[in-house]
Amino acid sequence: MPNITLPDGKKLNFEKKVTGLKIAEKISKSLSKQALVISVDGHLRDLNFEIDNDCSVKIHTSKDKEGIETIRHDTAHVMAMAVQELFPGTQVTIGPVIDDGFYYDFARKEPFTEEDLQKIEKKMKEIVERDEPTHREVWKRDKAVEHFKKTGEIYKAEIIKSIPKEEEVSVYFHGKWHDLCRGPHLLSTGKIGKFFKLTKLAGAYWRGDSNNEMLQRIYGTSWSSQKDLDDYLKRIEEAEKRDHRKLGKEMDLFHFREESPGSVFWHEKGWNLFQKLIEYMRTKQNIAGYKEINTPEILDRSLWEKSGHWEKFGEHMYTSKTPDEKIFAIKPMNCPGCVQVFNQGLKSYRDLPLKMSEFGKVHRYEPSGSLHGLLRVRAFTQDDAHIFCTEDQITEECLSVTNLILEIYKDLGFNDVILKYSDRPNLRVGADEIWDKAEDALLQAINSSKLKYTINKGEGAFYGPKIEYVLRDAIGRDWQCGTLQVDLNLPERLGASYVDKDGSKKIPVMLHRALFGSLERFIGILIENYSGKLPFWIAPLQTIVIPVSNDFDDYAMKVHNKIVKSGITSQVDLKNHNLNYKIREHSLSKIPLLLICGKKEVDSNTVTIRRLDSNKQENMELKEFLKKFSALSKAPSI
RNA sequence: GCCCCUAUAGUUAAAUGGUAUAACACAUCCAUGGUAAGGAUGAAUUUCCAGUUCAAUUCUGGGUGGGGGCACCA
């Protein structure tokens, strides 16, 4: 007779077979009400799953990840039910749980509309009201395939074929409606509650493969209380408010236009931010021993053929034919150009490691559907560098790249960084021994960095393993920015070599690295992270000087000129508006410092500071202000 | 690239088979002001190409861009 061990170690003994629900009832009335699913020896089961052996269990409520995910999974089922009731002939395919919600993919000729979503939601509420009971059946594979084929559910039949032989084929019923599903599920449709919302319509390929037909996906979210649902919707709204595309327009940083989709038109303020970041990086890299170079944007086709890009990357490359019929490519990467710089003159082992950096603007013909503001563009500037070194130097160089990245992210307010490590893919170049070495070296560097990391098996580049640096922003989103790749291929292809101690020619290892990745993308991330309120040292426009009335224009100009001389970006606002108006206007455009100048300031040779998001006034001598704030114009670590 | 949605002034929005409204921004004038919108006046617009129609910004088709996803991100 089953002996049930609870998470706190307590044991309960039952006379005969028992279900999760019974166990919950025995523990407490409130638990039996809140119980959603149960883990039995680590396997998630329905609450009416019959237990007849000794085991450990944990009963899940909406407070657990397992509980809330089951609610979402059930909501997906209820949605599919509603869709099939409203639109007979629609086929269901898959409907998994995702972060904060769920989706279900449907096959139907006519597209769903926004109004359909309302109808579906209404129908879902009806189904919740009907409180259809759930029950689970295990079917024979053949019977299941035949059944779903007969009912016109071709996709389901296909899914069954791909279920591993040793797994059961289970079918869940909610009332009469049923779906092939692994489960577990709640006891009835009423249990999901009413705190759900269908959020968006989308297309999605069957089995995620762009060669397959496109299905219609409906996304939704589902929670265990109205408050959680409201909080979630609020969170989405807040994230929309910090959208860099919106803020970029409002703050007059940049714009995009039809003539060049995916390329940025930088305005004065945005370009200032861009240049500040480059200046900052340049300083950091000089300190770290990099030599900055610059290589041509347009290079002859033959170089790209030699490097392998023509073949492997050709469809993403812009090309250009000259009047005399020569074909050039606009560089999609900086590496071949950099290797050519390395190739100038004989290099000795004493020159290694040789770190060459380049703020190189590259162009890639990205698929139109992937473009997204600054985050995915067709023309962007990489903070690129290539480190030529020996195999023995890989670990040390990787470690120093990692440290540099951490310093830089920290200066910019990102302290939460994780690594993604990708090792050898099936399709690759180079001998296994070299891969062994490269992977060991990278792993050593990762381990000594003490950062958390994940392994992406087989996801490395064809020419070598890589690390990707992922930072977490102020609202918990992860962004992959920096990357470090070991290249065992390109130096050889382009004939790079150095003279070793013994006088023999050797091929150097090349490390590709980028810290921000793309300046454009990083600026997008920065804007969203700070909601546009960038720290003083990096702000696109740091101060605006405002005279209290026109009588003080001269003094305001004088203050402005001194500020500009001290290296702080400043504007002076002499427009015909009153003080309140100007303060409101410039606060909304997120200028960190407003300097007010009136009679008081003129008489005492001071300025009155108003900081963004504060209504305090600080009066200080102009000299003191210049000293204090030009120091604050530097990055924290410089 | 694929699916769906979408395109009105500098921006954000409204309206209509008979060429369009508002707010903010902008310009001029008045007001010269002390920490988040002072007042008056003014100028300015239907994404492009076809089609239907007496008439298209509105309806239909297509192009292009934008948005949400999918795929892609070497």
Side-chain angles (χ1 to χ4, degrees):
Chain A
M1 293 300 99
N3 224 326
I4 307 294
T5 311
L6 302 179
D8 60 5
K10 252 190 231 158
K11 286 189 194 305
L12 291 178
N13 203 309
F14 291 88
E15 294 288 300
K16 50 182 184 191
K17 281 197 259 187
V18 67
T19 65
L21 188 60
K22 290 258 168 58
I23 298 172
E25 277 165 0
K26 185 135 188 186
I27 295 170
S28 78
K29 199 172 171 188
S30 65
L31 182 63
S32 74
K33 275 190 192 153
Q34 288 172 27
L36 296 172
V37 276
I38 183 168
S39 293
V40 180
D41 286 336
H43 299 286
L44 272 187
R45 304 289 186 199
D46 305 332
L47 273 186
N48 57 9
F49 174 79
E50 293 191 324
I51 300 169
D52 51 8
N53 292 316
D54 293 354
C55 59
S56 316
V57 304
K58 178 166 172 26
I59 290 167
H60 300 287
T61 67
S62 64
K63 291 190 182 71
D64 303 330
K65 181 167 166 278
E66 291 83 355
I68 192 74
E69 285 187 351
T70 309
I71 287 180
R72 288 177 184 147
H73 189 186
D74 274 60
T75 313
H77 269 218
V78 169
M79 177 171 82
M81 239 172 126
V83 166
Q84 290 197 316
E85 282 184 27
L86 288 167
F87 309 99
T90 302
Q91 291 188 61
V92 293
T93 66
I94 55 159
V97 168
I98 51 173
D99 281 352
D100 297 331
F102 60 90
Y103 66 79
Y104 214 116
D105 286 349
F106 300 97
R108 174 177 181 244
K109 282 226 173 62
E110 301 72 36
F112 291 118
T113 63
E114 295 289 331
E115 295 85 75
D116 290 340
L117 290 192
Q118 315 262 325
K119 279 189 220 155
I120 297 167
E121 253 184 46
K122 206 173 143 216
K123 180 63 83 180
M124 287 169 71
K125 291 198 168 134
E126 271 174 50
I127 294 170
V128 171
E129 288 288 331
R130 297 203 307 248
D131 200 18
E132 309 262 12
T134 301
H135 90 270
R136 177 179 188 270
E137 289 182 8
V138 175
W139 286 5
K140 283 235 166 63
R141 211 162 273 260
D142 298 348
K143 175 192 163 189
V145 171
E146 201 182 311
H147 170 83
F148 284 109
K149 271 191 181 160
K150 212 162 63 194
T151 52
E153 298 282 2
I154 309 305
Y155 291 92
K156 283 289 169 191
E158 250 195 70
I159 294 171
I160 297 168
K161 286 183 200 157
S162 61
I163 297 177
K165 285 261 168 345
E166 62 279 8
E167 268 182 46
E168 293 183 324
V169 174
S170 59
V171 175
Y172 274 85
F173 284 74
H174 308 287
K176 270 187 212 145
W177 189 85
H178 59 281
D179 190 11
L180 172 78
C181 187
R182 184 183 293 130
H185 280 285
L186 307 180
L187 292 177
S188 67
T189 56
K191 298 278 182 203
I192 69 171
K194 289 185 180 170
F195 316 112
F196 56 80
K197 187 173 160 55
L198 303 186
T199 51
K200 52 197 170 192
L201 279 167
Y205 296 108
W206 166 237
R207 292 191 189 274
D209 184 338
S210 56
N211 295 314
N212 290 342
E213 59 274 51
M214 184 149 284
L215 306 170
Q216 298 187 63
R217 175 171 299 178
I218 302 178
Y219 283 94
T221 186
S222 186
W223 301 82
S224 61
S225 71
Q226 188 64 42
K227 184 180 177 300
D228 285 354
L229 175 60
D230 291 343
D231 285 351
Y232 168 75
L233 296 174
K234 185 94 193 150
R235 224 162 70 218
I236 301 291
E237 214 176 284
E238 290 299 318
E240 275 165 15
K241 276 192 200 147
R242 38 174 94 209
D243 190 313
H244 72 281
R245 292 167 298 185
K246 188 169 165 276
L247 291 174
K249 206 182 270 176
E250 284 171 12
M251 295 170 69
D252 193 18
L253 301 178
F254 57 84
H255 82 276
F256 289 92
R257 56 194 302 113
E258 241 178 86
E259 293 96 326
S260 188
S263 299
V264 191
F265 288 77
W266 286 105
H267 301 185
E268 182 195 353
K269 281 167 66 186
W271 191 241
N272 189 286
L273 168 56
F274 195 102
Q275 290 301 325
K276 264 187 198 147
L277 282 173
I278 288 191
E279 212 33 65
Y280 162 68
M281 294 284 269
R282 191 168 272 146
T283 307
K284 294 297 282 184
Q285 291 186 154
N286 283 343
I287 296 168
Y290 287 81
K291 325 269 178 214
E292 185 175 331
I293 61 163
N294 192 264
T295 64
E297 244 103 89
I298 299 178
L299 293 145
D300 192 86
R301 167 179 180 161
S302 60
L303 176 68
W304 302 107
E305 285 173 344
K306 238 186 273 174
S307 71
H309 287 86
W310 195 263
E311 189 202 343
K312 300 260 179 204
F313 203 66
E315 59 178 17
H316 295 286
M317 283 162 69
Y318 287 92
T319 54
S320 137
K321 196 153 99 186
T322 57
D324 54 0
E325 305 281 310
K326 284 185 185 148
I327 293 183
F328 290 84
I330 302 164
K331 67 176 174 185
M333 294 184 203
N334 301 302
C335 20
C338 182
V339 176
Q340 300 302 28
V341 175
F342 179 88
N343 285 348
Q344 286 310 101
L346 267 188
K347 294 290 180 299
S348 147
Y349 72 95
R350 293 172 189 273
D351 296 320
L352 306 186
L354 180 55
K355 312 189 219 188
M356 292 201 275
S357 64
E358 175 172 12
F359 294 97
K361 185 164 188 181
V362 297
H363 290 73
R364 298 179 186 179
Y365 194 72
E366 301 286 357
S368 57
S370 68
L371 301 181
H372 184 92
L374 295 177
L375 300 181
R376 188 80 182 270
V377 286
R378 285 182 173 156
F380 59 98
T381 309
Q382 291 184 309
D383 54 342
D384 213 351
H386 298 92
I387 301 171
F388 296 88
C389 64
T390 65
E391 284 170 21
D392 298 334
Q393 290 167 334
I394 297 176
T395 298
E396 197 186 330
E397 289 310 310
C398 290
L399 197 56
S400 84
V401 167
T402 303
N403 289 335
L404 184 58
I405 283 193
L406 292 180
E407 269 178 48
I408 283 172
Y409 288 1
K410 194 173 168 202
D411 271 348
L412 288 154
F414 301 106
N415 294 307
D416 205 348
V417 181
I418 61 160
L419 307 182
K420 287 202 295 195
Y421 164 70
S422 303
D423 62 8
R424 67 189 79 186
N426 285 332
L427 272 179
R428 58 179 181 268
V429 296
D432 281 356
E433 305 86 74
I434 301 179
W435 275 91
D436 290 342
K437 256 193 175 165
E439 287 177 357
D440 280 354
L442 264 191
L443 274 175
Q444 259 189 56
I446 290 170
N447 284 325
S448 38
S449 78
K450 306 233 163 31
L451 291 169
K452 270 188 274 177
Y453 70 98
T454 58
I455 297 179
N456 293 358
K457 271 236 153 300
E459 301 262 306
F462 68 90
Y463 49 75
K466 65 179 177 186
I467 303 177
E468 276 150 350
Y469 299 82
V470 179
L471 56 83
R472 180 156 293 175
D473 77 3
I475 57 171
R477 295 174 301 182
D478 288 340
W479 302 97
Q480 187 182 305
C481 294
T483 163
L484 168 62
Q485 306 175 357
V486 182
D487 189 343
L488 311 165
N489 181 42
L490 196 62
E492 185 176 13
R493 273 182 171 255
L494 296 183
S497 67
Y498 65 94
V499 180
D500 208 351
K501 273 180 200 164
D502 60 5
S504 67
K505 274 199 173 179
K506 294 252 169 73
I507 300 169
V509 173
M510 181 162 132
L511 308 178
H512 304 242
R513 53 112 274 211
L515 309 181
F516 291 153
S518 135
L519 267 296
E520 284 77 357
R521 180 176 146 85
F522 198 81
I523 288 174
I525 295 168
L526 268 182
I527 292 170
E528 300 212 354
N529 181 62
Y530 286 109
S531 296
K533 294 177 184 172
L534 296 165
F536 182 75
W537 72 277
I538 207 80
L541 173 58
Q542 293 167 298
T543 65
I544 292 186
V545 186
I546 307 174
V548 170
S549 81
N550 292 144
D551 293 341
F552 313 108
D553 284 2
D554 287 348
Y555 183 71
M557 271 315 287
K558 185 185 126 193
V559 169
H560 163 74
N561 286 331
K562 288 206 165 166
I563 292 175
V564 171
K565 260 190 203 159
S566 76
I568 297 171
T569 48
S570 165
Q571 282 180 4
V572 56
D573 184 352
L574 303 180
K575 270 191 261 168
N576 258 351
H577 284 124
N578 65 28
L579 184 57
N580 280 350
Y581 181 92
K582 291 180 182 178
I583 286 176
R584 177 179 151 83
E585 184 191 10
H586 301 311
S587 298
L588 287 175
S589 67
K590 307 181 202 302
I591 309 301
L593 279 190
L594 300 181
L595 300 188
I596 315 296
C597 300
K599 181 157 192 323
K600 208 167 68 191
E601 287 76 15
V602 172
D603 290 346
S604 57
N605 207 30
T606 59
V607 289
T608 297
I609 303 170
R610 184 191 165 112
R611 293 172 195 259
L612 184 56
D613 286 335
S614 160
N615 50 16
K616 276 197 208 124
Q617 299 174 34
E618 291 170 63
N619 188 261
M620 72 172 72
E621 282 193 23
L622 184 53
K623 254 193 204 157
E624 191 195 338
F625 170 83
L626 294 174
K627 198 174 148 205
K628 185 169 174 186
F629 283 92
S630 49
L632 287 174
S633 279
K634 296 219 165 79
S637 75
I638 289 176

